[in-house]
Amino acid sequence: MHLRPAPLLPLLLLASLHAAPARARQAVPDTLERRVAACTSCHGSQSAPAPQPSSGPNYYPRIAGKPAGYLYNQLHNFRAGRRQYPLMTYMVEHMSDDYLREIATWFSTQHVPAPVLARSSLPAGQLERGHELVTRGDATLKVPACIACHGQRLT
Ligand code: HEC
Ligand code: HEC
């Protein structure tokens, strides 16, 4: 078939008009890593550990490296209102199960180093009691040893 050259010029013009916005959009790659950057400002990332809040919640839990199934269930709990923290609920309320699972899996594969804690200035007696609770618990108070779940190195 014979192509007439006339319509080509407007087509080329259109193509070049579209090229600029397309390049601008590509400047921020649409990857999961970029999208969950909204989460790491509170939960920490490879380059910046989680900040400790001065007001509001008592702490920002680490999420990197926790089991995917556990993370998924927590996201699900926030969305369903079983676990309540308004900012978290707001962020996940419009996300599908599949997307929550994808996010949970991504965080489970991250290995953010644990922050180096400052040495405690508590009196020796209190430190000893803490050590006892962590390693052996207190059966009379029904406090289990923390290491029973958190492991010998509490990691
Ligand atoms: C404004 C700070 C903030 C942002 C941003 C934020 N979170 Fe949270 N998140 C929290 C706090 C605080 C908690 C603990 C709330 C509680 O005590 O139940 C939490 C809890 C969680 C938990 C449960 C952790 C656990 O160990 O049980 C998961 C999973 C989680 N967030 C994932 C995310 C994801 C995914 C995003 C991004 C879509 C996100 N968070 C964004 C503050 C934040
Ligand atoms: C029966 C199992 C179990 C025992 C025993 C236990 N924990 Fe936990 N702990 C958990 C689980 C599961 C989580 C995650 C839940 C969450 O983040 O909401 C957690 C979370 C934590 C966190 C938050 C860590 C983070 O991700 O930011 C701290 C701190 C903590 N535990 C301290 C302790 C201490 C101190 C003890 C002992 C007095 C203890 N735990 C005993 C199961 C346990």
Side-chain angles (χ1 to χ4, degrees):
M1 204 185 102
H2 178 71
L3 270 182
R4 292 187 338 185
L8 267 180
L9 187 61
L11 267 182
L12 282 174
L13 274 175
L14 262 181
S16 65
L17 279 175
H18 278 273
R23 262 200 308 279
R25 275 201 301 277
Q26 277 161 13
V28 178
D30 183 18
T31 60
L32 191 61
E33 185 175 3
R34 296 295 308 201
R35 287 190 239 143
V36 298
C39 318
T40 58
S41 59
C42 287
H43 289 291
S45 66
Q46 201 65 46
S47 50
Q52 282 321 298
S54 48
S55 61
N58 290 332
Y59 76 100
Y60 294 130
R62 283 170 63 82
I63 56 175
K66 283 181 177 169
Y70 172 80
L71 293 176
Y72 172 74
N73 283 336
Q74 297 314 311
L75 292 173
H76 207 273
N77 286 340
F78 281 116
R79 204 186 59 189
R82 280 189 294 269
R83 184 167 172 177
Q84 281 152 10
Y85 183 68
L87 278 170
M88 278 304 308
T89 311
Y90 170 76
M91 257 172 299
V92 298
E93 65 188 346
H94 299 297
M95 293 180 184
S96 67
D97 287 0
D98 284 350
Y99 197 26
L100 292 185
R101 203 178 296 278
E102 198 185 336
I103 291 174
T105 303
W106 193 86
F107 277 109
S108 74
T109 62
Q110 299 301 301
H111 301 284
V112 175
V116 180
L117 300 177
R119 245 198 127 64
S120 170
S121 56
L122 288 174
Q126 232 168 315
L127 282 178
E128 182 48 41
R129 174 67 174 150
H131 191 256
E132 194 178 292
L133 289 175
V134 168
T135 54
R136 290 191 297 279
D138 186 332
T140 56
L141 295 174
K142 293 189 173 162
V143 174
C146 313
I147 59 172
C149 294
H150 288 285
Q152 288 290 337
R153 297 181 57 231
L154 302 171
T155 52

